[in-house]
Amino acid sequence: MAAPTSSRPVVLALSNTITPAIAVEILPLGLAVNSIYLNADGETHDIVEGPFDSKLHGTPPYKYMNTLVGRYANRIAVKSDGHKISKGGYEGVVNVVKNESDKVSLHGGSDTLDSMLFETLKLPESKLFSETELRALHATDYAHQLFTATLGDDHNGFPGTLRIEVLFT
């Protein structure tokens, strides 16, 4: 079962050193990579461009900076009759939600992945990674964290439920 949703940052660091040479800080809100810390010559450097205050993620001009965006990354024209799609014998209609202007949907709509609070998962709880992939990851000593979110059917006008799993390692 997924861990209770928390907005606390997740920090992954090399585990085989006293002072990690590299660490990454991930915000569960939108899975924003907030910081990548490099330690060199006794100093720590954050090499990620973005706001110093993590609460500013999700606000202009940082809204889509270092985050996942949506089901679609870029712009889709808003059409009154939607966009017909088909693949593998399945058909559907995408009725995108306008959010950039009356004619354009940016990154799949107004309430997309960048504004969702992702849940943490333990590796055995994954439904999308294969057993071979999970065994290979267990064989390493890499720091890792698996996150998940689900977008329901017709979320922002897209057909079908979409489960997302993102692995940072």
Side-chain angles (χ1 to χ4, degrees):
M1 180 165 70
T5 303
S6 170
S7 59
R8 289 190 10 219
V10 172
V11 178
L12 300 176
L14 293 177
S15 59
N16 58 355
T17 60
I18 294 171
T19 303
I22 186 168
V24 62
E25 180 183 67
I26 304 148
L27 304 178
L29 183 64
L31 287 190
V33 176
N34 195 51
S35 298
I36 298 176
Y37 299 108
L38 297 178
N39 288 312
D41 300 323
E43 294 185 20
T44 301
H45 307 275
D46 182 2
I47 61 168
V48 171
E49 180 69 29
F52 287 112
D53 182 351
S54 61
K55 292 179 181 74
L56 292 176
H57 279 285
T59 63
Y62 306 110
K63 181 153 175 54
Y64 299 115
M65 185 177 275
N66 309 329
T67 67
L68 293 183
V69 284
R71 288 189 191 213
Y72 185 86
N74 213 331
R75 291 162 177 81
I76 301 176
V78 175
K79 293 173 56 176
S80 61
D81 59 343
H83 297 273
K84 292 179 176 65
I85 57 172
S86 64
K87 184 170 184 167
Y90 294 97
E91 295 184 0
V93 176
V94 176
N95 293 299
V96 295
V97 176
K98 63 183 178 183
N99 66 333
E100 187 179 60
S101 72
D102 286 343
K103 297 180 182 181
V104 176
S105 175
L106 176 65
H107 299 321
S110 56
D111 178 28
T112 57
L113 297 175
D114 67 294
S115 60
M116 289 184 72
L117 199 55
F118 281 70
E119 296 180 8
T120 57
L121 282 180
K122 295 186 184 316
L123 291 179
E125 298 171 326
S126 172
K127 294 180 179 166
L128 301 179
F129 286 88
S130 71
E131 286 186 33
T132 302
E133 292 168 318
L134 295 174
R135 271 195 308 274
L137 187 59
H138 276 294
T140 71
D141 67 348
Y142 300 143
H144 60 271
Q145 183 61 64
L146 182 61
F147 294 90
T148 187
T150 301
L151 299 176
D153 184 29
D154 201 38
H155 179 264
N156 282 337
F158 287 86
T161 298
L162 177 66
R163 178 182 173 93
I164 299 142
E165 291 183 2
V166 179
L167 176 66
F168 283 89
T169 184

